[in-house]
Amino acid sequence: GHVVRNWKVRWFVLLQDKLLYYKIEGGKKEPSPKGRILLDGCTITCPCLEYENRPLLIKLKTKTNTDYFLECCSREERDSWALDITGAIHAGHPVQVQELHRMKNSFKLLDNISLHDIVERMYDSNTGIKLTRNLDQGNRYKETFTGSALVDWLISNSFAVSRFEAVTLASMLMDENFIRPVGTRSTEAMRFSDPSEKFLDDSTALYMFAENTKKNTSSKEEVQFNISELSGTIVKQGFLVKQGHKRKNWKVRKFVLRADPAFLHYYDPTKEENKPVGGFSLRGCLVSALEDNGVPAGVKGNVQGNLFKIITKNDIHYYIQASSKAERVQWIEAIKPLT
């Protein structure tokens, strides 16, 4: 938001010269746009790491110096939106658009490599990356590593076969907020729009684990909760509409599906902190689609259709609306193997 700096769910439509956004009510967009972003003279930053707990941001700066921060549900969705918006900004330069597509298609993680696996290995006290104290322009940083040290480590642990591949992997770790730049050299590199130039294979560029920069205000119980439920591999995430348990009203929530352990958490996208407002284990759950002809028992309020229901092993019923039948099928198929 521009007046109140909170986060709101909006439905975006990209046109040739502008980006329209609509207000969502009851899971359905309103007929008239809430606002528009003129793309002529815009600059785009993706990924944008200005918000520490929101790594999936796109930043648009208009030619009148108005900043828009847009959050997506996944890295793939973020990169796809950024590519299409950039193409609209440079619509009169087809060669530049082709180069953007080439860069995007070449910047992919191999199927047999998981970023979570890499970070877990980096943390290993025996074989992980060595953390040291470093000095940069009078500032002393604890538990950091250099860009070239990370590239060396990725190659020596067979995550990459060349320094180019290692830089690509390190850039992905930074894009997904596993690591972050510290000090002048590495933070200056973030100004570049080319993904290959954001991470530096350099002995003077400093980086650290992203979580080391956060103030640890959680109690031991909260830390254990986060480790046990929020450390699983993200299988799927996206915005759905959920019925409340008390008021039976419908609200847009960002759902994150994790495996090992299998949990489904949901977040309030209007809140600044990136903490779930609810969630449950999927072990012993039942998930099924609900027919669109009529309102099922237990469902109240504004129902657009594409409903599905999850019943936990404790017999708690969750009613959720997807934006389409195809999306409902995708969620059900992703959840079922984890129950």
Side-chain angles (χ1 to χ4, degrees):
H2 289 292
V3 181
V4 180
R5 297 290 180 175
N6 54 359
W7 297 85
K8 294 183 180 294
V9 176
R10 294 290 182 252
W11 181 269
F12 280 82
V13 176
L14 177 61
L15 302 180
Q16 186 173 0
D17 59 346
K18 64 178 73 73
L19 191 61
L20 304 180
Y21 54 93
Y22 296 78
K23 190 175 180 181
I24 298 290
E25 285 292 344
K28 188 176 182 181
K29 74 170 184 176
E30 292 188 339
S32 300
K34 181 78 174 176
R36 66 194 67 214
I37 304 171
L38 299 179
L39 297 178
D40 180 36
C42 260
T43 58
I44 182 170
T45 302
C46 178
C48 171
L49 300 181
E50 293 189 27
Y51 287 85
E52 183 176 314
N53 61 346
R54 293 179 181 269
L56 301 178
L57 286 183
I58 297 171
K59 178 182 177 181
L60 291 176
K61 180 184 283 292
T62 68
K63 65 180 180 182
T64 58
N65 289 324
T66 302
D67 290 340
Y68 291 88
F69 294 92
L70 317 177
E71 183 180 31
C72 301
C73 296
S74 66
R75 183 180 185 275
E76 292 76 17
E77 186 182 66
R78 178 197 66 193
D79 292 349
S80 178
W81 270 100
L83 184 72
D84 292 336
I85 292 171
T86 306
I89 294 173
H90 301 293
H93 306 279
V95 174
Q96 193 167 357
V97 175
Q98 289 175 7
E99 178 65 14
L100 287 166
H101 279 277
R102 185 197 64 78
M103 285 171 51
K104 176 177 181 288
N105 292 333
S106 64
F107 193 66
K108 289 184 178 179
L109 184 65
L110 296 177
D111 293 336
N112 62 337
I113 295 179
S114 163
L115 294 181
H116 290 274
D117 292 341
I118 295 174
V119 174
E120 188 174 343
R121 289 276 296 277
M122 287 175 67
Y123 271 111
D124 190 284
S125 57
N126 296 319
T127 61
I129 191 164
K130 185 178 180 181
L131 302 178
T132 59
R133 294 172 180 261
N134 284 284
L135 193 67
D136 181 87
Q137 294 193 354
N139 295 318
R140 189 176 298 277
Y141 298 97
K142 297 179 180 179
E143 297 186 327
T144 58
F145 46 87
T146 66
S148 57
L150 179 53
V151 170
D152 291 342
W153 184 88
L154 290 169
I155 294 174
S156 65
N157 284 271
S158 302
F159 288 116
V161 297
S162 67
R163 300 195 79 80
F164 174 79
E165 286 187 11
V167 168
T168 301
L169 275 178
S171 299
M172 287 180 168
L173 291 171
M174 193 161 59
D175 288 351
E176 298 304 320
N177 209 32
F178 288 115
I179 63 173
R180 60 182 288 121
V182 290
T184 306
R185 185 83 172 89
S186 56
T187 51
E188 283 290 324
M190 293 301 297
R191 297 182 180 181
F192 290 102
S193 58
D194 186 341
S196 65
E197 296 180 33
K198 289 183 182 296
F199 179 88
L200 299 178
D201 179 6
D202 194 300
S203 60
T204 63
L206 301 180
Y207 299 88
M208 70 191 309
F209 291 114
E211 68 177 39
N212 289 352
T213 64
K214 300 176 183 177
K215 294 181 180 179
N216 186 10
T217 58
S218 302
S219 65
K220 284 188 176 180
E221 289 75 21
E222 288 175 321
V223 172
Q224 290 172 355
F225 170 84
N226 289 332
I227 291 174
S228 63
E229 293 193 14
L230 302 177
S231 62
T233 303
I234 295 178
V235 176
K236 185 175 176 60
Q237 56 183 321
F239 291 103
L240 298 166
V241 184
K242 173 187 167 294
Q243 180 177 263
H245 288 292
K246 295 180 180 179
R247 296 185 180 181
K248 304 297 182 183
N249 54 351
W250 293 89
K251 291 186 177 181
V252 176
R253 293 290 181 254
K254 180 181 177 181
F255 280 79
V256 178
L257 177 63
R258 293 181 173 90
D260 299 321
F263 274 84
L264 183 62
H265 292 96
Y266 49 93
Y267 300 72
D268 185 346
T270 66
K271 301 295 184 183
E272 182 71 30
E273 65 274 8
N274 192 27
K275 295 181 180 179
V277 295
F280 50 91
S281 171
L282 290 173
R283 296 303 179 192
C285 284
L286 298 174
V287 57
S288 61
L290 298 177
E291 296 297 331
D292 292 339
N293 51 348
V295 179
V299 175
K300 296 182 180 180
N302 188 2
V303 179
Q304 304 294 322
N306 307 312
L307 276 169
F308 64 99
K309 178 172 68 172
I310 301 175
I311 305 175
T312 70
K313 65 180 180 180
N314 297 325
D315 200 33
I316 299 174
H317 293 225
Y318 290 86
Y319 295 96
I320 303 168
Q321 295 185 59
S323 61
S324 65
K325 289 184 178 179
E327 185 182 46
R328 177 175 65 180
V329 170
Q330 291 172 5
W331 273 99
I332 291 174
E333 289 182 347
I335 292 170
K336 274 188 176 180
L338 302 177
T339 60

